[in-house]
Amino acid sequence: MNVWWRTLLTIWRAKVLLRRRGPIPPDSVGRVRLRTLPTDLDLLGHMNNGRYASLFDLGRFDLLIRTGIWDAMNAEGWYAVVASETVTFRKSLQLWQRFTVESRLYGHDDKAVYQIHRAVVDGEIYAEMIVRARFLRRTGGVVNTAELFDALHRPDNLPPLPQWIVDWAAGAALPSTKAPAPSIWE
C-alpha cells in the first residue's frame, strides 16, 4: 500500500512543479527522493529486487508529468505501457536508507521511448534500469514518436539511441501480439 501513497505524492509533487516552473525539456533528468521502508525489504533485509521497478515507476510518473507528456497523453487519449525492461544491481539499499530515483528519457525509435532509471546514493549508482515504453491509443493502435513530439509542440531533441540499446531492444523482443508465441522449452 505504501507505493500507492508514494505514487499519489509523486504525482501531486510533479503537478505542482509543472504548474510553478513550467515543463522541463524532454532530455532533463528527473529526481525523486525516497527512503527504503520496511515494506520494501526482502527476507535478507535489503530492498527487494521487484520493488525497484515499482519505485522506478515513480520516476517515470514524475518525468512524464514534468515534461508535459502526461497532459498531452491524456488530451489525446493515449497511455504508456512498459514493453521491456532490464535492471542491473550494483549495491543493496538498506532499511531507512535515503536514495534518489533519477530518470531520463534516453532516446526513441519510431514506436517506443527509452528511459533510464537509477537508484542513486550520494551520487553513486546502486541500481540502473533501462525501460522501453510504448504509447498506445485507448481506441487501439500504437502512437508513433513523431506524433508524440507533435502533440508536445516541441522539437525532438533527444539524441540517437546508442547501438547497445538498439541491440538490447531487438534481443529482448517477443513476437507481436498478432503473431503466435507458443511456450516451447528446448
Side-chain angles (χ1 to χ4, degrees), residues 63-75:
L63 201 58
L64 288 173
I65 291 167
R66 294 182 57 218
T67 56
I69 294 172
W70 181 274
D71 288 338
M73 287 172 28
N74 288 328

Side-chain angles (χ1 to χ4, degrees), residues 4-24 28-34 55-68 70-71 99-103:
W4 279 96
W5 291 115
R6 286 170 164 173
T7 301
L8 293 173
L9 286 171
T10 298
I11 290 171
W12 174 80
R13 177 188 166 273
K15 287 185 175 196
V16 167
L17 288 171
L18 176 65
R19 192 170 50 251
R20 286 184 184 166
R21 300 180 186 169
I24 60 175
S28 298
V29 176
R31 290 179 175 84
V32 177
R33 288 175 183 76
L34 299 169
L55 296 179
F56 288 158
D57 279 346
L58 302 179
R60 195 161 25 264
F61 283 129
D62 175 72
L63 201 58
L64 288 173
I65 291 167
R66 294 182 57 218
T67 56
W70 181 274
D71 288 338
F99 65 99
T100 302
V101 171
E102 295 182 348
S103 303

Side-chain angles (χ1 to χ4, degrees), residues 91-165:
K91 286 187 171 185
S92 296
L93 289 170
Q94 304 299 320
L95 180 62
W96 306 120
Q97 188 169 13
R98 291 177 190 252
F99 65 99
T100 302
V101 171
E102 295 182 348
S103 303
R104 180 171 176 236
L105 294 172
Y106 204 63
H108 64 83
D109 56 28
D110 59 333
K111 292 184 182 176
V113 172
Y114 295 81
Q115 300 171 324
I116 300 285
H117 301 286
R118 294 176 175 166
V120 177
V121 177
D122 296 326
E124 184 178 5
I125 300 170
Y126 276 46
E128 182 176 81
M129 177 183 277
I130 178 145
V131 174
R132 180 176 180 264
R134 296 177 70 185
F135 294 89
L136 305 177
R137 300 175 201 285
R138 295 199 188 284
T139 56
V142 176
V143 177
N144 66 48
T145 48
E147 194 173 1
L148 174 66
F149 280 95
D150 279 349
L152 286 174
H153 307 295
R154 289 185 166 193
D156 171 7
N157 63 349
L158 294 176
L161 287 174
Q163 189 59 45
W164 74 268
I165 292 182

Side-chain angles (χ1 to χ4, degrees), residues 77-96:
W78 302 337
Y79 62 99
V81 295
V82 171
S84 53
E85 62 190 12
T86 298
V87 63
T88 303
F89 303 101
R90 192 171 160 270
K91 286 187 171 185
S92 296
L93 289 170
Q94 304 299 320
L95 180 62
W96 306 120

